[in-house]
Amino acid sequence: MTTETVAPPSNPRGDGPAAAPVIRARGVWKIFGPHADRIIGSPEAELSRRELLEKTGCVAAVRDVSIEVWPGEVFVVMGLSGSGKSTLVRTLIRLIEPTAGEIEIAGRDVMKASRSELRALRRHSVSMIFQHFGLLAHRRVIDNVAFGLEVQGVGKADRQARARDVLKLVGLEEVADRFPDQLSGGMQQRVGVARAFAANPVVMLYDEPFSALDPLIRRDMQDEVKRLQQETGKTTVFITHDLPEALRLGDRIAIMRDGAIVQLGTPEELVGSPADEYVENFTRDIPRSHVLTLRWIMREPTPEDPLDGPKLDVTTTVRRAVPVLAASEKPVCAMENGSVVGIVDREAVLLSIAGERDD
């Protein structure tokens, strides 16, 4: 199965024209097993995961995946356990060696990188945050945050100054001199995030970092990721098995199944127009009115439409538009860059809510 690259016409965050993608991967495969390289391009490559395993003893963890991640984007890779999401992200920086494919990060050819170049990439350009914090118990919080800079050879005074700045950014400056075991799980994960940010990487990779946290702490950490991304503009790849988390964080979401991407799109596209039954099952319990925006349900203005009704930004969710429409006799004008780009009337809202109830 070939996954087409989805390249938005402009920056997915909507804050200007798109530059070159920070991450570009084309035709990436990862096959575990004997003579894995012989599978690609053969009839066996089209077999299901189970059939391939039975016939060849190989497992296709990632199947012909192509993605582009744009500057400042939060790109979420989502799927059930065994879908290939973690393997895919690890192949991007060759923590797991791809069987085939092309990968570029910040204009650098990852597949052609030497061992020393890969070490430099992982130390300076990409930071990865795992579910398990991996903090050094015998070191203070500030020294944990500064550890990556120490590995880079940054002097003590400079790395501690940078660590204190980042601790302030994540709201942990008051615990700089404590040890990890004196902190809660949520605070420890914040230290892990701070350590990743301290190196000032081009790309942040999160591998299901909050799945072991309590629900309330997890939501707090999601808020923290959103805030840090908005303040720093870091290009972010986030792995999760949880759709609400994906919808909350992602500018675009790639849903994986059996090593392949089955749908790649915005949260609205996934919830409003699932590609198949697999994606539909994921999104069935998500209230559409909480995700779909005026852009999704609006129609083009006609000469007969009154344009003096309530004005809402085109990114307003249906849920937030309901009380505005209820209080007005006129339809809502969907606005973008100061211009009316669409009309939303009560019928459109009712139909979207009716579709939600039908699910």
Side-chain angles (χ1 to χ4, degrees):
M1 175 179 177
T2 300
T3 302
E4 296 294 333
T5 300
V6 176
S10 60
N11 190 316
R13 299 196 67 82
D15 52 3
V22 177
I23 299 174
R24 178 186 281 118
R26 295 188 182 278
V28 175
W29 287 79
K30 178 57 190 178
I31 301 176
F32 295 97
H35 309 297
D37 57 320
R38 299 181 186 176
I39 303 295
I40 302 168
S42 73
E44 283 78 11
E46 302 301 321
L47 297 175
S48 69
R49 180 174 283 186
R50 178 179 296 179
E51 291 171 333
L52 181 65
L53 178 60
E54 291 175 351
K55 185 172 182 179
T56 68
C58 292
V59 175
V62 176
R63 286 177 173 265
D64 198 13
V65 168
S66 297
I67 60 172
E68 292 179 339
V69 183
W70 299 82
E73 181 179 17
V74 179
F75 186 93
V76 175
V77 182
M78 201 208 117
L80 300 176
S81 178
S83 62
K85 57 188 184 299
S86 291
T87 303
L88 170 62
V89 174
R90 282 169 166 77
T91 63
L92 296 178
I93 54 174
R94 288 174 57 189
L95 287 176
I96 294 176
E97 197 67 32
T99 306
E102 302 173 9
I103 301 170
E104 292 181 7
I105 296 180
R108 300 170 66 179
D109 190 331
V110 176
M111 296 300 290
K112 293 181 179 178
S114 65
R115 288 188 178 182
S116 61
E117 289 170 335
L118 281 176
R119 284 195 297 270
L121 177 76
R122 296 166 188 164
R123 288 178 180 176
H124 300 280
S125 297
V126 179
S127 286
M128 197 159 186
I129 302 168
F130 299 93
Q131 177 181 333
H132 303 289
F133 318 134
L135 301 181
L136 303 172
H138 64 289
R139 291 196 173 200
R140 297 175 304 160
V141 165
I142 189 170
D143 297 318
N144 269 279
V145 173
F147 182 72
L149 297 172
E150 182 179 346
V151 172
Q152 291 179 11
V154 177
K156 184 175 182 179
D158 288 341
R159 67 177 183 256
Q160 289 211 342
R162 170 63 179 165
R164 289 191 185 279
D165 287 343
V166 177
L167 283 171
K168 185 175 181 180
L169 183 66
V170 300
L172 290 178
E173 63 267 34
E174 294 182 0
V175 302
D177 294 318
R178 296 186 188 177
F179 289 89
D181 63 0
Q182 296 175 304
L183 306 180
S184 66
M187 294 177 76
Q188 288 182 32
Q189 190 60 296
R190 283 176 185 260
V191 175
V193 171
R195 180 175 58 189
F197 268 90
N200 195 26
V202 176
V203 177
M204 300 286 293
L205 300 181
Y206 293 85
D207 188 2
E208 298 200 69
F210 312 140
S211 59
L213 300 177
D214 293 337
L216 290 178
I217 299 175
R218 182 171 185 165
R219 188 173 180 86
D220 286 344
M221 289 305 303
Q222 292 167 5
D223 289 340
E224 188 70 2
V225 168
K226 290 175 65 176
R227 182 184 68 82
L228 289 171
Q229 201 286 331
Q230 289 167 358
E231 290 188 13
T232 65
K234 294 293 182 189
T235 303
T236 301
V237 178
F238 195 100
I239 306 169
T240 182
H241 64 269
D242 183 73
L243 183 60
E245 182 170 70
L247 295 172
R248 209 156 174 258
L249 296 176
D251 293 311
R252 289 186 300 149
I253 302 166
I255 296 185
M256 294 191 70
R257 181 185 187 186
D258 291 341
I261 294 177
V262 295
Q263 186 168 1
L264 196 168
T266 65
E268 275 189 283
E269 289 167 343
L270 268 61
V271 172
S273 185
D276 58 18
E277 186 177 358
Y278 180 75
V279 180
E280 187 175 359
N281 286 336
F282 265 117
T283 61
R284 180 167 292 158
D285 295 328
I286 301 297
R288 291 187 177 189
S289 60
H290 290 208
V291 179
L292 300 185
T293 66
L294 300 189
R295 188 189 300 279
W296 191 264
I297 66 170
M298 71 185 186
R299 58 175 171 79
E300 290 188 9
T302 68
E304 292 75 28
D305 285 318
L307 299 182
D308 56 347
K311 292 177 172 56
L312 293 175
D313 190 86
V314 73
T315 61
T316 304
T317 61
V318 172
R319 178 172 65 101
R320 295 187 181 278
V322 166
V324 177
L325 266 171
S328 174
E329 293 299 322
K330 296 181 179 179
V332 163
C333 297
M335 307 295 293
E336 186 172 35
N337 298 324
S339 300
V340 177
V341 294
I343 296 295
V344 178
D345 53 27
R346 293 181 182 181
E347 181 181 3
V349 170
L350 289 172
L351 285 173
S352 68
I353 295 174
E356 177 178 303
R357 289 174 178 171
D358 287 344
D359 291 342

